[in-house]
Amino acid sequence: AGERGSVERETSGAGDMDSCYLIPLAEKENADGTISSSSESMSEVKGTSGSLGTWEGGDDGSCYLSYGTPGGLCASGSETEGPPNADPARDAALAPDGYVAGGPPKSASVGSTPPPRLNEEKSVGGARREKMASRKRKSPAKGEAKAVDAYTEDDVEWVVGEDGRRVANVGMGVTLSLGSMYVGAGSSKSRGAQGSRSERRRMKASGTKSSFETGVMPSWTNQFQDAITSIAECQTLLSNELDLDRIADMHWNLKNLAEDFVNTAKTYGRIIISERFSDKKTIRPVDVGGRAGGDKYIVLNILFKFAVDSTKMFAGNSLAATKIAGHELKGGIAYFNALTEFQRTIIRVPMLALVDYMGFRLIAISVLPIKAESTLIYGTRDAGKSVKNKSKRFNNIMTSCAKKLNLRPHVCGGVRRETKVLPSAADVEGHKGLDGNFYILDFSRTMPPVKYSPGIRNSHLFRLFRPEFIVKYEKPLCSDAYSGFVRFDPKSDEYNADVDEATKYLLGFTCQNFARNFRWQIMEARQKGELHQFPLAQVLHSEGINVRYAGVVLDKIPKGDDEMSTVPRMWLLLQIVARVMKNDIRLLLKNTMKCFKTSVHSSPFREVVSKYLNFVLLDRLEPNASSSGWEDPSKQHWDVHMKEKMRMCFDCGSPYTDRDFDLKKFVLAWRDPHFS
């Protein structure tokens, strides 16, 4: 309930339309200080506009809510002219049974007293309020609606029934009915250039001001560089007599700048993702060149690009595109850490952040003062047709970074006469900006690839080693191994053999040692009651092991019946299954976004997630259409889809992915005896 005089709508459950409207009676203060309601004072309520409509009242003091924002239908059926932001479909969907948008209940004639009466009840504070419960929205009986049309739109399968309702198959055994409750919801036109009210409140809480408030576009890269330079100079000048307070203030300013950048990226990133399939965008795409990632957006000097396979380089594998965005951030961090404090004053690294929302991933990069080819001095931006290495000073610093990162220099180029020797991946770009400073960007292939997987298209572009493993490995590796950039390097086969050997070492010796220590770590966390907080990804990464090799670690754990074997093995298997489900949910959210073109209303997304979880986790039997028996509808999902994803994404093997292994029963039936 809101404050006195406000109107609130409560919705329970995921997509549940059982809602109630808390309607305040007209109140007046008596001489003795008490509060009472009076039917005579109902005239004060009539005509008052609320967030859902206009309050109207009868002569007997009854009160009802007119959902008829102008533009809807009145009780008489006549059309009324409405404001620009009117949404008749939404208003009709929000009206309880017995009401129509723009007028009193259907059962009442125009001008008569509108039923139903509002029932009085006391609130906790003693103030008297009115409450009216709406009836459950009627839906066709199972099997009543027959399919009359079927089509595909934005890779989503649609079926239209005789009643006109559309049903979307969003995947994973989940269907979603598109009724009037979602039609027209969340028009982006009314949100304005600064985003929704919730986004503006979030910015206000974080202390971030938009460009519309300040009138000044922030230069994130310059502010970041100034903070880095100040810290380096302060530590150099005060080496004999350290001013700890001054250094602390500089680090604090750097921290605040990073938080401001992340909050701004999150705020506008959510808006961009919400409007991805909308025809009316408050933030419009810009042309900055390049095809990868599809549309690009620039807001407050931050460049946003989607992590999607827009060029079909990975055969539509959205997970691969998501991984590449993650590598972009990891590569930027690796180069920043490899630069000395003095080198950071020479080569500038942009600020980077990832925004994950509704199944999509955006990478946010601070805008740099560069221009495509005219400022490029290092690397290639045309797939190796021309490779540049113009600045000796820039190349020397990159060579220094390569030694720290354990990367091997090599001959790069797709055309023989254009080849150059580079100590980094060929598509890591170096620019001499319009302001005369050096900049480095495009870090997605900073680390070398693991052994090429023939069954995964272009796996060498996104299945990479962790930097923690590379820096500790016995020999430097080539970042362009297995790529066409080294086709004219006579040592290309040697580069490939080196990464094959390193992959074998990682999956063998490194994973074996980790599995031995992992068992003790899990048992210790279990003993302390902290097993649910165990940071699997962080522990794996600290040893240079990718999370995708969790299945390899699982295979290294002994298959005995003692707790030291069963508990770590089962816990890791549960983590693998949960991550497969997480990827499924992300895909469902994407498909749901395609259906409704917006994410303003959370109800369809909650409904999709709850349906998926019930479908996957519940034990239930349904009649088999092809036989007279009964079967679990999720059995095929577990036996085919889940096992395939466990093999592809986590290298999980026997016995858990065997054809005759009942994975669902094994996972859901297990109970830790320590907590039983």
Side-chain angles (χ1 to χ4, degrees):
E3 298 177 358
R4 184 189 303 178
S6 66
V7 181
E8 301 287 344
R9 177 173 181 268
E10 296 181 342
T11 303
S12 59
D16 186 4
M17 292 307 295
D18 286 339
S19 55
C20 62
Y21 299 86
L22 306 183
I23 306 173
L25 281 172
E27 298 171 346
K28 65 180 181 179
E29 186 174 356
N30 300 323
D32 58 357
T34 60
I35 300 295
S36 63
S37 59
S38 172
S39 60
E40 289 80 12
S41 62
M42 277 298 173
S43 60
E44 301 175 8
V45 181
K46 297 179 183 179
T48 302
S49 297
S51 59
L52 298 177
T54 304
W55 292 104
E56 305 292 350
D59 296 335
D60 61 348
S62 62
C63 182
Y64 68 93
L65 179 63
S66 168
Y67 290 85
T69 56
L73 290 177
C74 295
S76 62
S78 61
E79 295 186 2
T80 59
E81 184 178 355
N85 294 333
D87 196 333
R90 178 188 60 202
D91 298 328
L94 291 175
D97 287 350
Y99 282 76
V100 293
K106 298 175 185 176
S107 58
S109 60
V110 178
S112 64
T113 302
R117 289 291 194 116
L118 301 180
N119 300 322
E120 297 182 5
E121 66 178 23
K122 290 187 177 182
S123 65
V124 176
R128 305 180 66 82
R129 293 181 180 272
E130 291 281 346
K131 178 180 178 182
M132 176 180 66
S134 67
R135 301 172 189 169
K136 207 171 213 180
R137 196 169 300 278
K138 294 181 180 180
S139 58
K142 187 175 183 180
E144 179 180 338
K146 298 181 181 180
V148 296
D149 188 21
Y151 62 95
T152 301
E153 180 182 351
D154 289 330
D155 299 327
V156 178
E157 298 178 1
W158 290 90
V159 176
V160 183
E162 290 180 343
D163 58 354
R165 295 179 67 85
R166 296 193 300 163
V167 177
N169 179 12
V170 293
M172 315 297 172
V174 177
T175 59
L176 199 60
S177 177
L178 181 62
S180 60
M181 61 176 287
Y182 301 132
V183 174
S187 172
S188 61
K189 183 177 179 180
S190 63
R191 288 163 61 171
Q194 298 185 56
S196 64
R197 282 182 292 179
S198 61
E199 299 295 347
R200 294 197 297 270
R201 287 197 300 267
R202 192 175 295 109
M203 289 182 65
K204 183 177 180 181
S206 65
T208 303
K209 291 186 177 181
S210 69
S211 60
F212 306 98
E213 297 172 315
T214 63
V216 178
M217 291 292 184
S219 177
W220 300 103
T221 305
N222 288 344
Q223 293 182 57
F224 181 59
Q225 190 63 34
D226 290 344
I228 294 298
T229 303
S230 298
I231 293 174
E233 291 177 350
C234 182
Q235 292 179 343
T236 301
L237 296 175
L238 303 178
S239 57
N240 296 327
E241 186 178 349
L242 290 177
D243 188 345
L244 298 181
D245 291 338
R246 184 180 175 187
I247 295 178
D249 288 342
M250 291 180 177
H251 282 89
W252 187 258
N253 292 335
L254 180 61
K255 172 181 175 292
N256 290 338
L257 176 64
E259 290 180 349
D260 288 345
F261 180 81
V262 170
N263 289 334
T264 305
K266 286 168 58 178
T267 298
Y268 289 99
R270 286 166 60 97
I271 296 174
I272 292 171
I273 293 174
S274 299
E275 298 176 342
R276 173 160 176 78
F277 301 104
S278 175
D279 296 330
K280 300 177 180 179
K281 300 181 185 294
T282 57
I283 301 175
R284 300 186 179 277
V286 296
D287 183 11
V288 295
R291 296 171 57 197
D295 292 338
K296 314 291 194 306
Y297 304 81
I298 295 181
V299 186
L300 295 182
N301 275 338
I302 300 178
L303 171 66
F304 294 89
K305 56 183 179 181
F306 278 95
V308 294
D309 184 18
S310 57
T311 60
K312 304 301 179 183
M313 184 179 296
F314 308 107
N317 185 353
S318 59
L319 186 60
T322 301
K323 292 294 183 184
I324 285 181
H327 293 321
E328 181 87 13
L329 179 60
K330 287 194 289 282
I333 294 173
Y335 268 108
F336 181 80
N337 291 334
L339 292 168
T340 65
E341 291 183 349
F342 175 72
Q343 290 171 342
R344 290 172 188 165
T345 64
I346 302 174
I347 295 183
R348 301 189 172 194
V349 180
M351 300 187 76
L352 298 163
L354 298 179
V355 181
D356 290 317
Y357 182 61
M358 289 298 176
F360 289 91
R361 170 169 285 185
L362 277 177
I363 183 165
I365 310 172
S366 59
V367 174
L368 304 178
I370 60 175
K371 282 188 178 180
E373 290 291 340
S374 61
T375 59
L376 183 68
I377 60 169
Y378 181 93
T380 179
R381 55 180 295 109
D382 54 9
K385 294 179 181 178
S386 62
V387 182
K388 298 182 179 180
N389 191 0
K390 294 182 177 180
S391 173
K392 184 177 181 180
R393 188 181 191 190
F394 189 94
N395 182 71
N396 290 339
I397 295 178
M398 292 298 291
T399 302
S400 172
C401 291
K403 291 180 179 178
K404 293 181 181 179
L405 296 175
N406 205 20
L407 302 178
R408 185 173 180 177
H410 53 282
V411 177
C412 302
V415 180
R416 188 179 295 276
R417 65 176 180 274
E418 292 289 339
T419 58
K420 298 287 189 302
V421 176
L422 299 180
S424 67
D427 47 6
V428 173
E429 295 181 16
H431 290 259
K432 188 170 184 179
L434 301 176
D435 57 357
N437 296 309
F438 289 128
Y439 294 92
I440 181 175
L441 66 152
D442 283 358
F443 310 101
S444 61
R445 291 197 318 109
T446 296
M447 293 294 115
V450 299
K451 183 178 180 179
Y452 186 76
S453 301
I456 304 176
R457 186 174 180 181
N458 288 325
S459 67
H460 64 289
L461 300 180
F462 66 94
R463 303 195 77 174
L464 311 180
F465 285 105
R466 293 283 311 177
E468 296 89 347
F469 174 82
I470 293 297
V471 296
K472 294 187 294 186
Y473 191 59
E474 59 184 5
K475 64 171 70 172
L477 300 178
C478 176
S479 297
D480 283 326
Y482 282 111
S483 76
F485 289 122
V486 293
R487 69 183 68 177
F488 297 113
D489 191 323
K491 298 182 179 179
S492 59
D493 292 338
E494 182 181 338
Y495 302 149
N496 298 344
D498 286 344
V499 299
D500 291 353
E501 183 182 352
T503 304
K504 183 178 180 181
Y505 181 85
L506 172 64
L507 302 184
F509 180 80
T510 304
C511 287
Q512 183 67 57
N513 281 348
F514 175 81
R516 187 181 302 113
N517 298 327
F518 175 72
R519 296 167 61 196
W520 290 102
Q521 291 174 323
I522 288 293
M523 296 305 292
E524 182 181 359
R526 174 175 177 259
Q527 188 67 29
K528 294 179 179 179
E530 300 174 353
L531 193 55
H532 63 289
Q533 299 176 340
F534 188 82
L536 176 64
Q538 181 180 340
V539 174
L540 284 169
H541 291 166
S542 66
E543 297 298 324
I545 302 175
N546 308 75
V547 175
R548 68 172 176 269
Y549 293 130
V552 178
V553 175
L554 178 63
D555 187 59
K556 303 293 184 182
I557 299 176
K559 296 178 175 59
D561 295 331
D562 58 306
E563 287 191 354
M564 279 291 295
S565 299
T566 57
V567 173
R569 192 169 64 247
M570 280 304 306
W571 186 87
L572 188 54
L573 178 63
L574 291 175
Q575 292 290 315
I576 294 173
V577 171
R579 288 173 180 271
V580 171
M581 293 174 62
K582 178 191 70 173
N583 292 335
D584 288 348
I585 289 174
R586 284 179 172 175
L587 181 59
L588 288 174
L589 293 175
K590 283 185 179 181
N591 291 339
T592 305
M593 180 86 77
K594 292 178 182 178
C595 296
F596 300 104
K597 312 298 183 184
T598 180
S599 66
V600 173
H601 285 300
S602 61
S603 297
F605 299 95
R606 292 178 182 173
E607 182 179 349
V608 164
V609 174
S610 63
K611 281 185 175 181
Y612 171 77
L613 294 177
N614 289 330
F615 170 74
V616 173
L617 299 178
L618 290 184
D619 286 323
R620 57 177 180 172
L621 297 176
E622 293 183 358
N624 191 337
S626 60
S627 64
S628 59
W630 296 71
E631 69 173 0
D632 184 350
S634 66
K635 179 175 175 57
Q636 184 177 9
H637 181 81
W638 279 86
D639 290 346
V640 179
H641 173 79
M642 297 283 281
K643 291 180 180 179
E644 179 184 1
K645 293 299 181 182
M646 289 169 64
R647 282 191 296 265
M648 289 183 56
C649 301
F650 299 98
D651 282 14
C652 199
S654 181
Y656 310 109
T657 57
D658 291 346
R659 184 175 181 180
D660 57 347
F661 184 78
D662 194 337
L663 180 63
K664 179 177 181 179
K665 181 178 179 180
F666 183 75
V667 169
L668 299 184
W670 185 79
R671 296 291 183 272
D672 187 346
H674 184 72
F675 299 104
S676 299

